[in-house]
Amino acid sequence: MSALCRLSVIALLMPSLAQGGELAGVWQEFDDQTGKVEALIRIEKTADGAYEGKIVKLMADVAGENARVCGGCSGSLRNQPLLGMRILYGMKRKDSQTFEGGEIIDPDDGKVYRCHMRLSEDGKTLEVTGYIGISWFGQSETWRRAD
């Protein structure tokens, strides 16, 4: 068997190594103050190869919490329900673990930030950094892949 054939077989048997870490899936986002899971975000790959994320579940401590809206958002998103809202878009793969070039909306205040993401080696955690200007001056959160 030629070396090229062996490499092809290995790539087929180990798709995660051939394509890098997979960003698509459901991720847990945590409240900065309490550390509790605040929302579930589903990240999917779009037809153009970018990634986008929508809120698919809000963890409600209070009855009616799932009816929350984005009062701080502007334009067509103003006062739209958070549940189902696209808060992440335009993320492109830079390398096997890094994604950049997109934007993220903070649903608490409606502000839009540039975004950079780094997937852990095991694919179970995702460092999400929202920033204005230079990413060094941004704020990062760690999301965990939901089971």
Side-chain angles (χ1 to χ4, degrees), residues 95-114:
D95 58 39
S96 65
Q97 306 305 124
T98 308
F99 302 82
E100 59 184 22
E103 294 184 327
I104 191 165
I105 298 170
D106 182 344
D108 292 332
D109 59 19
K111 291 183 180 176
V112 178
Y113 299 93
R114 293 174 68 191

Side-chain angles (χ1 to χ4, degrees), residues 69-85:
V69 297
C70 192
C73 289
S74 60
S76 64
L77 293 179
R78 182 159 184 77
N79 293 323
Q80 292 299 308
L82 294 181
L83 191 60
M85 180 180 283

Side-chain angles (χ1 to χ4, degrees), residues 23-27 40-46 50-56 82 84-91 103-105 117 143:
L23 181 60
V26 178
W27 295 90
L40 296 181
I41 313 297
R42 178 180 304 281
I43 298 178
E44 297 178 327
K45 193 171 189 177
T46 61
Y51 290 86
E52 69 177 27
K54 294 181 181 180
I55 299 173
V56 294
L82 294 181
M85 180 180 283
R86 184 179 71 154
I87 63 163
L88 175 71
Y89 47 92
M91 298 302 299
E103 294 184 327
I104 191 165
I105 298 170
M117 302 173 122
W143 294 1

Side-chain angles (χ1 to χ4, degrees), residues 15-147:
S16 64
L17 290 177
Q19 298 172 352
E22 183 52 54
L23 181 60
V26 178
W27 295 90
Q28 298 173 328
E29 188 268 335
F30 298 86
D31 182 281
D32 291 337
Q33 309 305 323
T34 66
K36 293 182 180 179
V37 176
E38 187 172 47
L40 296 181
I41 313 297
R42 178 180 304 281
I43 298 178
E44 297 178 327
K45 193 171 189 177
T46 61
D48 68 354
Y51 290 86
E52 69 177 27
K54 294 181 181 180
I55 299 173
V56 294
K57 184 172 183 173
L58 294 168
M59 305 310 188
D61 289 337
V62 179
E65 188 74 14
N66 283 329
R68 284 186 16 203
V69 297
C70 192
C73 289
S74 60
S76 64
L77 293 179
R78 182 159 184 77
N79 293 323
Q80 292 299 308
L82 294 181
L83 191 60
M85 180 180 283
R86 184 179 71 154
I87 63 163
L88 175 71
Y89 47 92
M91 298 302 299
K92 299 269 185 165
R93 182 182 293 278
K94 178 181 176 186
D95 58 39
S96 65
Q97 306 305 124
T98 308
F99 302 82
E100 59 184 22
E103 294 184 327
I104 191 165
I105 298 170
D106 182 344
D108 292 332
D109 59 19
K111 291 183 180 176
V112 178
Y113 299 93
R114 293 174 68 191
C115 189
H116 176 271
M117 302 173 122
R118 176 115 179 111
L119 188 63
S120 65
E121 290 291 326
D122 64 6
K124 294 182 181 182
T125 60
L126 181 66
E127 182 180 348
V128 180
T129 304
Y131 62 96
I132 297 174
I134 301 172
S135 63
W136 293 349
F137 300 114
Q139 180 177 343
S140 295
E141 315 185 317
T142 300
W143 294 1
R144 280 197 294 247
R145 193 176 295 274
D147 293 328

